[in-house]
Amino acid sequence: MPTGSWPSYGSSDTATTAPNANAALAGTSPNDKTLLPPATIPGDRMNATFVTLARNSDVWEIAKSIRQVEDRFNRKFNYDWVFLNDDDFDDEFKKVTTALCSGKTHYGKIPKEHWSFPEWIDQDKAAKVREEMKEKKIIYGDSVSYRHMCRYESGFFFRHPLMLNYEWYWRVEPSVELYCDINYDTFKFMAEKKKKYSFTLSLYEYVETIPTLWDATKNFTKHYPQHIVKDNAMKFLSDDGGETYNHCHFWSNFEIGNLNWLRSDAYIDFFTSLDHAGGFFYERWGDAPVHSIAAGLMLQKDEIHFFNDIAYYHVPFTHCPTGEDYRLEHKCSCNPKDNFDWNGYSCTPQHPALDILPLTHFTGTARYYEMNGLTKPEGYEKEQ
């Protein structure tokens, strides 16, 4: 793990275990307790955690997300939860989140050097760019904090001392929803199937926010060819063999991934190269295309997983599993007509696996199924 040059800093770490939710009085429920799901699923746990970047003002929105994750998944597994903030967490945030989480909770503060302008950035130039983006009405175009967040999620969250305790992470943001029960250990699945990065939604990035990101990427590949793996997912990123970027990215507000990969020399070199190019501040590079390009170039395509069975919502998009039988069996509450997968703006179909036909022959998630040699799920026509 290449930690030698990483900054060291302190953190506020509170580890607590949520109150026992099973201490109910006998006879208060009409349900036969043998029909209720167990508090936990037996078996070994992975060295894994949920991770959330939030501020104290987000407490009630993140509370909704935690409840979704706990009800649909984590009450069965009791995985830890790490919360990170560029300020100190207050007592209310800690009390509310600790009470909701079935695993241990940890609270860390982001150091100033990871949430500020690096010394090589011309702040006058950066300010001018923000003003121009504001005039063009580019989303978050004039936001300084959004840029700090994107840079932090791209290059630093996995280096926080609290995160160094773990090998796997599941990113959760405020106000998300999980629509179906998840009855297996997603972390264990990733490890057993040798996956390192995963997603539920993919789409095209705003072109105006990343005009030179691919140029910076090609500069990286020129200087670090040893980090580009064979049988990678370039076809997800480019329709012309890497000459240009098609702007597809995995939507990183949901991701389950391997922290050791993010802490590898390859990824650290990639982020450092991009960071010095200045695009986080001179443009508005997001962590989603950064993570996606890194995964697409530096992981083999079969190390990237599409969690089709995790029904997920983050405003304004929904991933709802196709197939009525699956939705009924897993107590899904999503409307299949809201499923984004078959929308023409979705990139999920371009997830590379098999070289069957050119990408231009497919639209929507159909590309994903065609390129993997899979039969489209029954009922997909109704969701187009």
Side-chain angles (χ1 to χ4, degrees), residues 21-22 36-46 50 66-80 100-103 170 178-188 309-310 326 329-332:
N22 296 320
L36 296 175
T40 60
I41 289 179
D44 295 334
R45 298 294 183 258
M46 301 299 293
F50 294 95
I66 295 171
R67 190 59 194 249
Q68 291 278 326
V69 173
E70 289 291 334
D71 287 354
R72 291 297 194 174
F73 173 79
N74 202 41
R75 63 181 174 81
K76 308 160 197 171
F77 297 97
N78 305 150
Y79 277 109
D80 292 357
L100 289 169
C101 293
S102 59
W170 179 336
L178 295 179
Y179 291 120
C180 301
D181 286 350
I182 305 169
N183 298 322
Y184 66 98
D185 190 330
T186 56
F187 300 115
K188 187 174 291 186
D309 53 342
I310 296 183
Y326 180 88
E329 181 181 350
H330 293 83
K331 300 178 174 60
C332 302

Side-chain angles (χ1 to χ4, degrees), residues 218-286:
K218 290 199 290 185
N219 180 64
F220 165 77
T221 61
K222 177 182 177 181
H223 289 91
Y224 294 91
Q226 70 273 23
H227 293 329
I228 310 306
V229 304
K230 295 180 180 179
D231 200 28
N232 63 22
M234 174 65 85
K235 285 191 175 182
F236 179 83
L237 304 171
S238 176
D239 300 334
D240 55 17
E243 184 61 29
T244 61
Y245 179 34
N246 62 18
H247 306 113
C248 280
H249 68 282
F250 308 119
W251 217 23
S252 60
N253 47 66
F254 169 97
E255 51 187 14
I256 300 174
N258 184 276
L259 290 161
N260 289 336
W261 170 61
L262 291 176
R263 294 189 285 249
S264 69
D265 288 338
Y267 187 87
I268 295 296
D269 287 343
F270 178 63
F271 169 74
T272 301
S273 178
L274 295 186
D275 200 22
H276 280 81
F280 290 108
F281 300 103
Y282 297 148
E283 296 175 11
R284 205 228 65 191
W285 295 353

Side-chain angles (χ1 to χ4, degrees), residues 308 318-327 334-344 364-365 369 377-384:
N308 184 47
T318 296
H319 167 66
C320 186
T322 301
E324 184 179 43
D325 289 345
Y326 180 88
R327 293 194 299 269
C334 53
N335 184 342
K337 293 182 180 180
D338 294 333
N339 187 16
F340 182 70
D341 294 354
W342 309 105
N343 186 304
T365 305
Y369 284 91
E378 182 179 354
Y380 85 96
E381 305 94 336
K382 300 177 183 178
E383 298 176 14
Q384 290 182 298

Side-chain angles (χ1 to χ4, degrees), residues 316-379:
F317 300 122
T318 296
H319 167 66
C320 186
T322 301
E324 184 179 43
D325 289 345
Y326 180 88
R327 293 194 299 269
L328 293 175
E329 181 181 350
H330 293 83
K331 300 178 174 60
C332 302
S333 60
C334 53
N335 184 342
K337 293 182 180 180
D338 294 333
N339 187 16
F340 182 70
D341 294 354
W342 309 105
N343 186 304
Y345 200 66
S346 169
C347 288
T348 300
Q350 297 195 41
H351 183 276
L354 300 176
D355 299 322
I356 298 176
L357 290 171
L359 290 175
T360 52
H361 286 208
F362 304 114
T363 59
T365 305
R367 295 187 191 182
Y368 174 83
Y369 284 91
E370 295 285 355
M371 294 182 66
N372 282 279
L374 301 174
T375 302
K376 296 170 192 173
E378 182 179 354

Side-chain angles (χ1 to χ4, degrees), residues 147-160:
R147 285 172 168 81
H148 289 322
M149 181 275 292
C150 289
R151 179 173 179 254
Y152 185 77
E153 293 281 25
S154 294
F156 296 109
F157 85 91
F158 49 87
R159 296 191 250 189
H160 193 284

